[in-house]
Amino acid sequence: MVQEKRLCVLVRELAELSTFERLLRHASAHQRLLHCFQAVVEHGSNLSRELADAYLARCEKSEAGAAWSRDHLIQLGLRLGGFLNEAAWFADAELVLLRCRALCQSAPQTTHYKRLTLECCHRLLNTQSAYCCFPAAAETYALALRLLGLPEEAPTEPPRGPFALAPTADGATQTERDDEECAGAEPRVDDDCPVARCSVDGMDNLVLRLYKEFSALFFVRCDYNAAYKWSMVALKLLRPDTPAKVMVEVLRACGKACVVKRRFDRAGWAVRQAVGVARRAFGPQHPRYAAALLDLGFYLLNIDDITHSVTVYEEALAVLRRVFGRSSLHVATAQEDLAYALYVLEYSSGRFYKARDHAERAIRIIETLVPPDHLLLASAKRVKALILEEIALDTPAGQEMSEPSLLEESEELHKAALNLSMMAFGEKNVQTAKHYGNLGRLYQSMHKFQDAETMHLKAIAIKEELLGSEDYEVGLSIGHLASLYNYHMQQHAAAEKLYFRSIAISLKLFGERYSGLEYDYRGLVHVFTQLKKDDLAEFYNRLLHQWQDCFLDLREQSKTEPQPAVGEERVMPLNELKEKFFRPLKGTNHKALLSLTQTVMCTPLLLAHAATKRESGITDVGALACC
């Protein structure tokens, strides 16, 4: 019907819950069903809500005495909720899964129904995290922990022995086998089937997926320490016979957590393994492969392989468009990621038209699919604001009077993103602090220096409270404030102290070859020149040139290291991957620091362009990493 454009007829067919229920059972046709579903949605149907309402109505009829059994409704709810979640119709998926969870909890609390409740929690966490429903996700997380008998604090090691379903993680699942219930359950048709098996193996895979969702929840909430801990525990539980879908999900969570923790070697192993496993298991046109590519693009962007990152994002976007069309939240996310990668790539050229186009397309899609005050809009608006700011700064003064209007539009977008972050997270959150920092940079460009100082101080205070005084994010914000004091507010003594603090953080975390040191060294040369301390100015000028020589040598070395092309990633044996991840560090680990600092270097062209773009000369490129 899709091929023949008989979409009106198809809408009527798919809106019948009984028909859709039968289609959901065909795992081999799952991807084609996603394509058909999205086609009728783009045709104008509200199919997602119609199916959710039909499921809720069936549950109410069952309570009134209809023939559908509780287990049948739970299985249907898990399948339908999982499908709507995968199709990115998160609000309707949550409605279905919450009703399904209520059915599980209204049943006698045997092991069978507790496991089904955990399956609901897994899918709900995925939905609520993706849709930024953080209070509801916190409730789901707490329920899952109670059922598993785990403390709220993320563990460093997985619990020993079989997983219990309360009261503690030391108990055994064999205490309640529920043989009669399991004997009556429908057969599993694929790895996505929600019916929990009574074997410990089945429980292990469910726990793996839950740990991955715990990591994902803390990641989107910007609690990167907890995200990292949960992903590492999940990685330790992986086995060679773990299903490919679960393997890819866990590896993706590990990769993203390692990127934000600046552990780039581990991040590279994880994301490339995820891409390789996804491609081998699902093929190059599958949404799971595209999702792994997005994480690979994120990793490449953070290690300064910008061109390769753009290529990977473009491939992921093409795959997602083939499956979901052009009006899906999955597609919008990929366009936003590509917009930011293009923004970084073209920073030296100033050709931002493609980046701006993708950012605006992402915003248009999201605005049609979510409420106007939804957090999903914040990130896309932030990316567009950054792009508009640079376009304005690259526009010659007086040319079509575009600079003031673009900067003002950028300010509106940054403020909107900040307000959305405040509503979702509150002020004491790393993401909110980043928005303050972005506004500080913008006000510096707009010569609103007092406002810029206020924003930078807020960013520093929040990051220090949440992350400690020596965190990477704190160092970035300190460097931005130092630049403001140094180049615009003539507070050179205050700038000097901030530069020294930023240098101390960089040296401790990354070593003496870290690229961010260039901004601090240049800043100190300017500070001491203004303070007439010529001997210190000369000292840091020599140190800067020594750093540049090392920088160029290391960059040439890094260029000679082969990078596997997309689709040619080597899939390591699991024991080899785990050995790499959990190998203990020895000595002072200078080699690891050197390897790490190589990955965060900015391109010479980018540095050269930034050095002449603004009056400050050195504030822009360093800010890219915090955006």
Side-chain angles (χ1 to χ4, degrees), residues 376-434:
L376 286 176
L377 280 165
S379 182
K381 287 185 175 182
R382 177 207 61 201
V383 172
K384 183 181 177 182
L386 293 170
I387 294 168
L388 293 181
E389 181 182 351
E390 296 309 321
I391 292 174
L393 293 172
D394 283 337
T395 302
Q399 180 177 322
E400 299 179 357
M401 297 298 291
S402 61
E403 181 177 340
S405 61
L406 287 176
L407 289 177
E408 288 164 5
E409 184 179 354
S410 179
E411 181 183 11
E412 290 178 5
L413 290 168
H414 275 313
K415 283 184 174 180
L418 173 62
N419 290 335
L420 292 172
S421 182
M422 290 279 285
M423 287 190 292
F425 300 117
E427 186 168 61
K428 299 300 177 64
N429 183 271
V430 174
Q431 198 61 46
T432 303
K434 289 182 177 182

Short mmCIF file of all heavy atoms in Angstrom, two decimals, residues 376-434:
data_model
loop_
_atom_site.label_atom_id
_atom_site.label_comp_id
_atom_site.label_asym_id
_atom_site.label_seq_id
_atom_site.Cartn_x
_atom_site.Cartn_y
_atom_site.Cartn_z
N LEU A 376 13.68 19.31 24.44
CA LEU A 376 14.32 18.87 23.20
C LEU A 376 14.63 20.05 22.28
O LEU A 376 15.52 19.96 21.42
CB LEU A 376 13.44 17.86 22.47
CG LEU A 376 13.37 16.46 23.08
CD1 LEU A 376 12.39 15.60 22.31
CD2 LEU A 376 14.75 15.79 23.10
N LEU A 377 13.92 21.15 22.44
CA LEU A 377 14.19 22.33 21.61
C LEU A 377 15.44 23.08 22.06
O LEU A 377 16.03 23.83 21.28
CB LEU A 377 12.99 23.28 21.64
CG LEU A 377 11.81 22.91 20.74
CD1 LEU A 377 10.58 23.71 21.13
CD2 LEU A 377 12.16 23.14 19.29
N ALA A 378 15.84 22.89 23.31
CA ALA A 378 16.93 23.69 23.86
C ALA A 378 18.23 23.47 23.10
O ALA A 378 18.92 24.43 22.73
CB ALA A 378 17.12 23.38 25.34
N SER A 379 18.58 22.22 22.87
CA SER A 379 19.86 21.92 22.23
C SER A 379 19.90 22.43 20.80
O SER A 379 20.90 23.01 20.36
CB SER A 379 20.12 20.41 22.28
OG SER A 379 21.37 20.10 21.72
N ALA A 380 18.81 22.22 20.06
CA ALA A 380 18.78 22.68 18.67
C ALA A 380 18.85 24.20 18.59
O ALA A 380 19.54 24.76 17.72
CB ALA A 380 17.52 22.16 17.97
N LYS A 381 18.16 24.88 19.48
CA LYS A 381 18.22 26.35 19.50
C LYS A 381 19.61 26.84 19.87
O LYS A 381 20.09 27.84 19.33
CB LYS A 381 17.18 26.90 20.48
CG LYS A 381 15.75 26.77 19.97
CD LYS A 381 14.75 27.42 20.91
CE LYS A 381 13.35 27.40 20.31
NZ LYS A 381 12.35 28.06 21.18
N ARG A 382 20.27 26.13 20.78
CA ARG A 382 21.63 26.51 21.15
C ARG A 382 22.57 26.41 19.96
O ARG A 382 23.38 27.30 19.72
CB ARG A 382 22.12 25.60 22.27
CG ARG A 382 23.56 25.82 22.71
CD ARG A 382 24.14 24.54 23.28
NE ARG A 382 24.16 23.49 22.29
CZ ARG A 382 24.23 22.20 22.57
NH1 ARG A 382 24.22 21.80 23.82
NH2 ARG A 382 24.27 21.31 21.61
N VAL A 383 22.44 25.34 19.19
CA VAL A 383 23.31 25.16 18.02
C VAL A 383 23.07 26.28 17.01
O VAL A 383 24.01 26.88 16.47
CB VAL A 383 23.08 23.77 17.38
CG1 VAL A 383 23.82 23.67 16.05
CG2 VAL A 383 23.54 22.67 18.32
N LYS A 384 21.81 26.58 16.74
CA LYS A 384 21.52 27.67 15.80
C LYS A 384 22.05 29.00 16.33
O LYS A 384 22.58 29.82 15.56
CB LYS A 384 20.02 27.78 15.55
CG LYS A 384 19.67 28.86 14.52
CD LYS A 384 18.17 28.97 14.29
CE LYS A 384 17.87 30.11 13.32
NZ LYS A 384 16.42 30.30 13.10
N ALA A 385 21.93 29.22 17.64
CA ALA A 385 22.43 30.47 18.23
C ALA A 385 23.93 30.61 18.02
O ALA A 385 24.44 31.69 17.68
CB ALA A 385 22.10 30.52 19.71
N LEU A 386 24.68 29.53 18.22
CA LEU A 386 26.13 29.56 18.02
C LEU A 386 26.47 29.89 16.57
O LEU A 386 27.39 30.67 16.28
CB LEU A 386 26.74 28.22 18.41
CG LEU A 386 26.67 27.85 19.89
CD1 LEU A 386 27.08 26.39 20.09
CD2 LEU A 386 27.56 28.76 20.72
N ILE A 387 25.71 29.29 15.65
CA ILE A 387 25.96 29.53 14.23
C ILE A 387 25.67 30.98 13.87
O ILE A 387 26.46 31.64 13.18
CB ILE A 387 25.10 28.57 13.38
CG1 ILE A 387 25.56 27.12 13.59
CG2 ILE A 387 25.17 28.93 11.90
CD1 ILE A 387 24.60 26.09 13.03
N LEU A 388 24.54 31.50 14.31
CA LEU A 388 24.18 32.90 14.01
C LEU A 388 25.20 33.87 14.59
O LEU A 388 25.53 34.89 13.96
CB LEU A 388 22.79 33.21 14.55
CG LEU A 388 21.61 32.50 13.91
CD1 LEU A 388 20.31 32.94 14.55
CD2 LEU A 388 21.58 32.73 12.40
N GLU A 389 25.71 33.55 15.77
CA GLU A 389 26.71 34.42 16.38
C GLU A 389 27.96 34.53 15.50
O GLU A 389 28.49 35.62 15.27
CB GLU A 389 27.09 33.88 17.76
CG GLU A 389 28.11 34.72 18.50
CD GLU A 389 28.48 34.11 19.84
OE1 GLU A 389 27.83 33.14 20.27
OE2 GLU A 389 29.45 34.60 20.45
N GLU A 390 28.41 33.40 14.98
CA GLU A 390 29.61 33.43 14.14
C GLU A 390 29.35 34.09 12.79
O GLU A 390 30.21 34.78 12.25
CB GLU A 390 30.15 32.01 13.94
CG GLU A 390 30.60 31.35 15.22
CD GLU A 390 31.56 32.22 16.01
OE1 GLU A 390 32.42 32.89 15.40
OE2 GLU A 390 31.44 32.25 17.25
N ILE A 391 28.15 33.88 12.23
CA ILE A 391 27.81 34.56 10.98
C ILE A 391 27.84 36.08 11.20
O ILE A 391 28.36 36.83 10.37
CB ILE A 391 26.42 34.11 10.48
CG1 ILE A 391 26.47 32.64 10.04
CG2 ILE A 391 25.96 34.98 9.31
CD1 ILE A 391 25.11 32.07 9.67
N ALA A 392 27.29 36.52 12.33
CA ALA A 392 27.27 37.95 12.62
C ALA A 392 28.68 38.49 12.77
O ALA A 392 29.01 39.57 12.26
CB ALA A 392 26.48 38.21 13.90
N LEU A 393 29.55 37.76 13.43
CA LEU A 393 30.92 38.23 13.64
C LEU A 393 31.73 38.22 12.36
O LEU A 393 32.68 39.00 12.21
CB LEU A 393 31.61 37.36 14.70
CG LEU A 393 31.03 37.49 16.11
CD1 LEU A 393 31.65 36.45 17.03
CD2 LEU A 393 31.27 38.89 16.66
N ASP A 394 31.36 37.35 11.42
CA ASP A 394 32.06 37.30 10.14
C ASP A 394 31.52 38.32 9.14
O ASP A 394 32.12 38.52 8.08
CB ASP A 394 31.95 35.90 9.53
CG ASP A 394 32.88 34.91 10.21
OD1 ASP A 394 33.88 35.36 10.80
OD2 ASP A 394 32.61 33.70 10.16
N THR A 395 30.38 38.93 9.44
CA THR A 395 29.77 39.88 8.51
C THR A 395 30.41 41.25 8.69
O THR A 395 30.46 41.76 9.81
CB THR A 395 28.26 39.99 8.77
OG1 THR A 395 27.67 38.69 8.64
CG2 THR A 395 27.62 40.95 7.77
N PRO A 396 30.91 41.86 7.63
CA PRO A 396 31.51 43.20 7.76
C PRO A 396 30.52 44.19 8.36
O PRO A 396 29.32 44.16 8.06
CB PRO A 396 31.87 43.57 6.31
CG PRO A 396 32.00 42.27 5.61
CD PRO A 396 31.01 41.34 6.25
N ALA A 397 31.03 45.06 9.21
CA ALA A 397 30.17 46.03 9.89
C ALA A 397 29.42 46.88 8.88
O ALA A 397 29.98 47.37 7.91
CB ALA A 397 31.02 46.92 10.80
N GLY A 398 28.14 47.05 9.09
CA GLY A 398 27.32 47.88 8.23
C GLY A 398 26.75 47.18 7.02
O GLY A 398 25.90 47.73 6.34
N GLN A 399 27.20 45.94 6.74
CA GLN A 399 26.70 45.25 5.56
C GLN A 399 25.28 44.75 5.83
O GLN A 399 25.07 43.81 6.60
CB GLN A 399 27.61 44.07 5.21
CG GLN A 399 27.14 43.29 3.98
CD GLN A 399 28.12 42.19 3.62
OE1 GLN A 399 29.32 42.37 3.74
NE2 GLN A 399 27.60 41.05 3.19
N GLU A 400 24.31 45.36 5.21
CA GLU A 400 22.90 45.02 5.34
C GLU A 400 22.43 45.07 6.79
O GLU A 400 21.39 44.53 7.13
CB GLU A 400 22.62 43.64 4.75
CG GLU A 400 22.95 43.56 3.25
CD GLU A 400 22.68 42.17 2.71
OE1 GLU A 400 22.30 41.28 3.49
OE2 GLU A 400 22.84 41.98 1.50
N MET A 401 23.19 45.71 7.66
CA MET A 401 22.82 45.83 9.07
C MET A 401 22.45 44.48 9.67
O MET A 401 21.58 44.34 10.51
CB MET A 401 21.63 46.80 9.22
CG MET A 401 21.94 48.22 8.76
SD MET A 401 23.27 48.97 9.74
CE MET A 401 22.42 49.14 11.30
N SER A 402 23.15 43.40 9.22
CA SER A 402 22.76 42.05 9.66
C SER A 402 23.33 41.68 11.00
O SER A 402 22.74 40.88 11.73
CB SER A 402 23.23 41.01 8.63
OG SER A 402 24.65 41.04 8.51
N GLU A 403 24.48 42.27 11.37
CA GLU A 403 25.14 41.82 12.60
C GLU A 403 24.28 42.03 13.84
O GLU A 403 24.08 41.10 14.61
CB GLU A 403 26.50 42.49 12.75
CG GLU A 403 27.24 42.05 14.00
CD GLU A 403 28.61 42.66 14.10
OE1 GLU A 403 29.14 43.11 13.07
OE2 GLU A 403 29.15 42.69 15.21
N PRO A 404 23.73 43.23 14.07
CA PRO A 404 22.93 43.39 15.29
C PRO A 404 21.73 42.45 15.34
O PRO A 404 21.45 41.85 16.36
CB PRO A 404 22.49 44.85 15.23
CG PRO A 404 23.50 45.52 14.35
CD PRO A 404 23.87 44.49 13.34
N SER A 405 21.03 42.27 14.22
CA SER A 405 19.84 41.43 14.24
C SER A 405 20.22 39.98 14.47
O SER A 405 19.51 39.25 15.19
CB SER A 405 19.07 41.57 12.93
OG SER A 405 19.86 41.17 11.83
N LEU A 406 21.31 39.52 13.89
CA LEU A 406 21.73 38.14 14.09
C LEU A 406 22.17 37.90 15.53
O LEU A 406 21.86 36.87 16.13
CB LEU A 406 22.87 37.78 13.14
CG LEU A 406 22.49 37.60 11.67
CD1 LEU A 406 23.72 37.34 10.81
CD2 LEU A 406 21.50 36.45 11.52
N LEU A 407 22.90 38.83 16.10
CA LEU A 407 23.32 38.68 17.49
C LEU A 407 22.12 38.72 18.42
O LEU A 407 22.07 37.98 19.42
CB LEU A 407 24.32 39.77 17.86
CG LEU A 407 25.72 39.65 17.24
CD1 LEU A 407 26.59 40.84 17.62
CD2 LEU A 407 26.39 38.35 17.67
N GLU A 408 21.15 39.57 18.11
CA GLU A 408 19.95 39.63 18.95
C GLU A 408 19.14 38.34 18.83
O GLU A 408 18.61 37.83 19.83
CB GLU A 408 19.10 40.83 18.55
CG GLU A 408 19.73 42.17 18.97
CD GLU A 408 19.11 43.35 18.24
OE1 GLU A 408 18.14 43.14 17.48
OE2 GLU A 408 19.60 44.48 18.44
N GLU A 409 19.07 37.80 17.60
CA GLU A 409 18.37 36.53 17.44
C GLU A 409 19.11 35.42 18.18
O GLU A 409 18.49 34.55 18.81
CB GLU A 409 18.24 36.17 15.95
CG GLU A 409 17.44 34.90 15.72
CD GLU A 409 17.31 34.56 14.25
OE1 GLU A 409 17.75 35.37 13.40
OE2 GLU A 409 16.78 33.48 13.95
N SER A 410 20.44 35.46 18.12
CA SER A 410 21.23 34.47 18.85
C SER A 410 20.97 34.58 20.35
O SER A 410 20.83 33.56 21.05
CB SER A 410 22.72 34.69 18.56
OG SER A 410 23.52 33.77 19.27
N GLU A 411 20.87 35.81 20.85
CA GLU A 411 20.59 36.01 22.28
C GLU A 411 19.23 35.42 22.65
O GLU A 411 19.09 34.75 23.68
CB GLU A 411 20.63 37.50 22.62
CG GLU A 411 20.37 37.78 24.10
CD GLU A 411 20.35 39.27 24.41
OE1 GLU A 411 20.33 40.08 23.45
OE2 GLU A 411 20.32 39.62 25.60
N GLU A 412 18.22 35.65 21.81
CA GLU A 412 16.89 35.10 22.08
C GLU A 412 16.93 33.58 22.14
O GLU A 412 16.31 32.96 23.00
CB GLU A 412 15.90 35.56 21.00
CG GLU A 412 15.57 37.05 21.07
CD GLU A 412 14.63 37.47 19.96
OE1 GLU A 412 14.18 36.58 19.20
OE2 GLU A 412 14.34 38.67 19.83
N LEU A 413 17.67 32.96 21.21
CA LEU A 413 17.77 31.51 21.18
C LEU A 413 18.50 30.98 22.41
O LEU A 413 18.08 29.99 23.02
CB LEU A 413 18.47 31.06 19.90
CG LEU A 413 17.69 31.25 18.61
CD1 LEU A 413 18.60 31.07 17.40
CD2 LEU A 413 16.51 30.28 18.54
N HIS A 414 19.60 31.63 22.78
CA HIS A 414 20.34 31.20 23.97
C HIS A 414 19.47 31.34 25.22
O HIS A 414 19.48 30.46 26.09
CB HIS A 414 21.61 32.03 24.13
CG HIS A 414 22.78 31.52 23.35
ND1 HIS A 414 23.14 30.18 23.35
CD2 HIS A 414 23.69 32.16 22.56
CE1 HIS A 414 24.21 30.02 22.60
NE2 HIS A 414 24.56 31.19 22.10
N LYS A 415 18.73 32.43 25.33
CA LYS A 415 17.87 32.62 26.49
C LYS A 415 16.75 31.57 26.52
O LYS A 415 16.40 31.05 27.60
CB LYS A 415 17.27 34.03 26.48
CG LYS A 415 18.24 35.12 26.90
CD LYS A 415 17.54 36.47 26.95
CE LYS A 415 18.44 37.55 27.51
NZ LYS A 415 17.76 38.87 27.56
N ALA A 416 16.20 31.27 25.35
CA ALA A 416 15.16 30.25 25.29
C ALA A 416 15.70 28.90 25.73
O ALA A 416 15.06 28.16 26.50
CB ALA A 416 14.58 30.16 23.88
N ALA A 417 16.91 28.57 25.27
CA ALA A 417 17.54 27.30 25.66
C ALA A 417 17.81 27.28 27.16
O ALA A 417 17.61 26.25 27.83
CB ALA A 417 18.84 27.11 24.88
N LEU A 418 18.28 28.40 27.70
CA LEU A 418 18.53 28.48 29.14
C LEU A 418 17.24 28.29 29.93
O LEU A 418 17.21 27.55 30.93
CB LEU A 418 19.16 29.84 29.47
CG LEU A 418 19.34 30.15 30.97
CD1 LEU A 418 20.26 29.15 31.64
CD2 LEU A 418 19.85 31.57 31.16
N ASN A 419 16.16 28.94 29.51
CA ASN A 419 14.89 28.81 30.22
C ASN A 419 14.38 27.38 30.20
O ASN A 419 13.86 26.86 31.20
CB ASN A 419 13.86 29.75 29.62
CG ASN A 419 14.15 31.21 29.90
OD1 ASN A 419 14.82 31.53 30.89
ND2 ASN A 419 13.69 32.10 29.04
N LEU A 420 14.52 26.70 29.05
CA LEU A 420 14.09 25.31 28.95
C LEU A 420 14.91 24.43 29.86
O LEU A 420 14.39 23.52 30.52
CB LEU A 420 14.19 24.84 27.50
CG LEU A 420 13.22 25.48 26.51
CD1 LEU A 420 13.55 25.06 25.08
CD2 LEU A 420 11.78 25.09 26.85
N SER A 421 16.20 24.69 29.92
CA SER A 421 17.07 23.93 30.81
C SER A 421 16.72 24.16 32.27
O SER A 421 16.71 23.24 33.09
CB SER A 421 18.54 24.29 30.55
OG SER A 421 19.41 23.54 31.36
N MET A 422 16.41 25.40 32.60
CA MET A 422 16.03 25.73 33.98
C MET A 422 14.74 24.99 34.38
O MET A 422 14.63 24.48 35.50
CB MET A 422 15.84 27.23 34.12
CG MET A 422 17.11 28.04 34.05
SD MET A 422 18.01 28.07 35.60
CE MET A 422 16.98 29.20 36.54
N MET A 423 13.77 24.93 33.45
CA MET A 423 12.52 24.25 33.75
C MET A 423 12.73 22.75 33.93
O MET A 423 12.09 22.12 34.77
CB MET A 423 11.49 24.52 32.65
CG MET A 423 10.91 25.92 32.66
SD MET A 423 9.51 26.10 31.53
CE MET A 423 10.33 25.93 29.95
N ALA A 424 13.63 22.18 33.14
CA ALA A 424 13.84 20.74 33.18
C ALA A 424 14.77 20.31 34.30
O ALA A 424 14.53 19.31 34.99
CB ALA A 424 14.39 20.26 31.84
N PHE A 425 15.86 21.05 34.50
CA PHE A 425 16.90 20.63 35.43
C PHE A 425 16.98 21.50 36.68
O PHE A 425 17.55 21.07 37.69
CB PHE A 425 18.28 20.69 34.75
CG PHE A 425 18.41 19.82 33.54
CD1 PHE A 425 18.64 20.38 32.29
CD2 PHE A 425 18.33 18.44 33.64
CE1 PHE A 425 18.79 19.57 31.17
CE2 PHE A 425 18.46 17.63 32.54
CZ PHE A 425 18.69 18.19 31.29
N GLY A 426 16.51 22.74 36.61
CA GLY A 426 16.81 23.70 37.64
C GLY A 426 18.14 24.38 37.37
O GLY A 426 18.83 24.07 36.39
N GLU A 427 18.52 25.30 38.23
CA GLU A 427 19.75 26.04 37.99
C GLU A 427 20.99 25.21 38.29
O GLU A 427 22.02 25.34 37.61
CB GLU A 427 19.78 27.32 38.83
CG GLU A 427 20.96 28.21 38.50
CD GLU A 427 20.85 29.58 39.11
OE1 GLU A 427 20.80 29.66 40.36
OE2 GLU A 427 20.80 30.58 38.36
N LYS A 428 20.93 24.35 39.28
CA LYS A 428 22.11 23.58 39.69
C LYS A 428 22.26 22.35 38.81
O LYS A 428 22.02 21.21 39.21
CB LYS A 428 21.98 23.18 41.16
CG LYS A 428 21.88 24.36 42.11
CD LYS A 428 23.12 25.25 42.03
CE LYS A 428 23.00 26.49 42.92
NZ LYS A 428 22.94 26.16 44.34
N ASN A 429 22.66 22.57 37.56
CA ASN A 429 22.87 21.49 36.61
C ASN A 429 23.96 21.90 35.64
O ASN A 429 24.07 23.08 35.28
CB ASN A 429 21.57 21.17 35.87
CG ASN A 429 21.72 20.00 34.92
OD1 ASN A 429 22.09 20.17 33.76
ND2 ASN A 429 21.46 18.80 35.42
N VAL A 430 24.76 20.94 35.21
CA VAL A 430 25.86 21.24 34.30
C VAL A 430 25.35 21.83 32.99
O VAL A 430 25.96 22.76 32.43
CB VAL A 430 26.70 19.98 34.04
CG1 VAL A 430 27.78 20.25 32.99
CG2 VAL A 430 27.35 19.49 35.33
N GLN A 431 24.22 21.30 32.49
CA GLN A 431 23.70 21.81 31.23
C GLN A 431 23.27 23.27 31.36
O GLN A 431 23.52 24.09 30.48
CB GLN A 431 22.51 20.96 30.76
CG GLN A 431 22.16 21.12 29.30
CD GLN A 431 23.30 20.71 28.39
OE1 GLN A 431 23.92 19.67 28.57
NE2 GLN A 431 23.60 21.52 27.40
N THR A 432 22.64 23.61 32.46
CA THR A 432 22.27 25.00 32.71
C THR A 432 23.52 25.88 32.77
O THR A 432 23.55 26.99 32.21
CB THR A 432 21.48 25.11 34.02
OG1 THR A 432 20.32 24.27 33.95
CG2 THR A 432 21.04 26.54 34.27
N ALA A 433 24.54 25.39 33.45
CA ALA A 433 25.79 26.14 33.54
C ALA A 433 26.39 26.38 32.16
O ALA A 433 26.93 27.45 31.87
CB ALA A 433 26.79 25.40 34.43
N LYS A 434 26.30 25.39 31.27
CA LYS A 434 26.82 25.56 29.92
C LYS A 434 26.06 26.65 29.17
O LYS A 434 26.66 27.42 28.40
CB LYS A 434 26.76 24.23 29.16
CG LYS A 434 27.74 23.19 29.65
CD LYS A 434 27.64 21.93 28.80
CE LYS A 434 28.65 20.89 29.22
NZ LYS A 434 28.61 19.68 28.39
#
